[in-house]
Amino acid sequence: MTLARWKPNSVRANDEFDSIFRTIFETKKASLSPKYNSQWSPAIDLKETEKDFVIIADIAGVVKKDIQVKVVDQVLTISGVRKAEVNKNNDYYHSKERYTGSFNRYFNLPDNINQDKISANFKNGVLIVKLE
């Protein structure tokens, strides 16, 4: 995903095409059973303020030490691991919908982002990354 300033007067045809494209692939992704996916992807909100971009990621159940935020060659990577619970009592699950395992999210950074001013904060299962 490439970060770029939003221009409200942009061509609407591109927005409609992007919406259709996302709908097709999100529908297929949603129909996959979690047990057949080896990776999961946390939900991300990306907002722009007057001075920075803010990435907000929902990664509940991931321990802070298992989260990495790094920049290499103008690409911000958020990665981590949500470990599966150990079933010590051999309980029977009727359904398991929570993803476990590793995840990666990538964001191409514009040249005007100051990599020395990137900050990250993780609290209550939410990671907030600020890019100035």
Side-chain angles (χ1 to χ4, degrees), residues 2-14:
T2 301
L3 303 180
R5 295 267 178 218
W6 181 62
K7 296 177 183 160
N9 296 328
S10 64
V11 178
R12 301 284 302 161
N14 285 343

Side-chain angles (χ1 to χ4, degrees), residues 28 54 64 67 70 81 87 103 106 111 113 124 131:
K28 290 185 181 208
V54 180
K64 185 177 182 175
I67 301 168
K70 63 183 178 180
V81 176
N87 187 359
F103 68 87
Y106 304 97
D111 292 333
I113 294 294
N124 296 329
L131 312 160

Side-chain angles (χ1 to χ4, degrees), residues 1 16 25 33 37-38 48 73 104 112 122:
M1 172 184 292
E16 291 177 26
F25 287 99
S33 172
N37 275 343
S38 61
E48 178 183 357
D73 297 329
N104 295 292
N112 63 342
F122 180 68

Side-chain angles (χ1 to χ4, degrees), residues 7-131:
K7 296 177 183 160
N9 296 328
S10 64
V11 178
R12 301 284 302 161
N14 285 343
D15 294 345
E16 291 177 26
F17 178 78
D18 288 346
S19 176
I20 292 168
F21 188 77
R22 269 193 310 274
T23 302
I24 291 169
F25 287 99
E26 287 176 356
T27 302
K28 290 185 181 208
K29 181 180 175 186
S31 67
L32 295 175
S33 172
K35 66 182 177 181
Y36 297 115
N37 275 343
S38 61
Q39 275 199 332
W40 62 282
S41 184
I44 299 279
D45 289 342
L46 174 60
K47 72 176 180 177
E48 178 183 357
T49 69
E50 292 204 13
K51 66 177 189 167
D52 57 13
F53 289 101
V54 180
I55 298 171
I56 304 164
D58 286 339
I59 48 180
V62 177
V63 180
K64 185 177 182 175
K65 70 176 181 65
D66 292 333
I67 301 168
Q68 297 83 42
V69 177
K70 63 183 178 180
V71 177
V72 176
D73 297 329
Q74 291 297 111
V75 176
L76 173 81
T77 303
I78 300 173
S79 58
V81 176
R82 180 185 294 146
K83 296 177 181 165
E85 295 176 6
V86 177
N87 187 359
K88 294 178 183 176
N89 298 327
N90 292 325
D91 296 329
Y92 178 78
Y93 284 87
H94 291 273
S95 176
K96 285 190 83 155
E97 296 182 1
R98 295 180 300 145
Y99 289 94
T100 59
S102 62
F103 68 87
N104 295 292
R105 293 297 303 258
Y106 304 97
F107 302 88
N108 294 316
L109 300 179
D111 292 333
N112 63 342
I113 294 294
N114 184 344
Q115 293 185 23
D116 294 329
K117 291 191 175 183
I118 295 174
S119 64
N121 183 29
F122 180 68
K123 184 176 181 182
N124 296 329
V126 178
L127 175 69
I128 299 174
V129 180
K130 292 186 178 184
L131 312 160

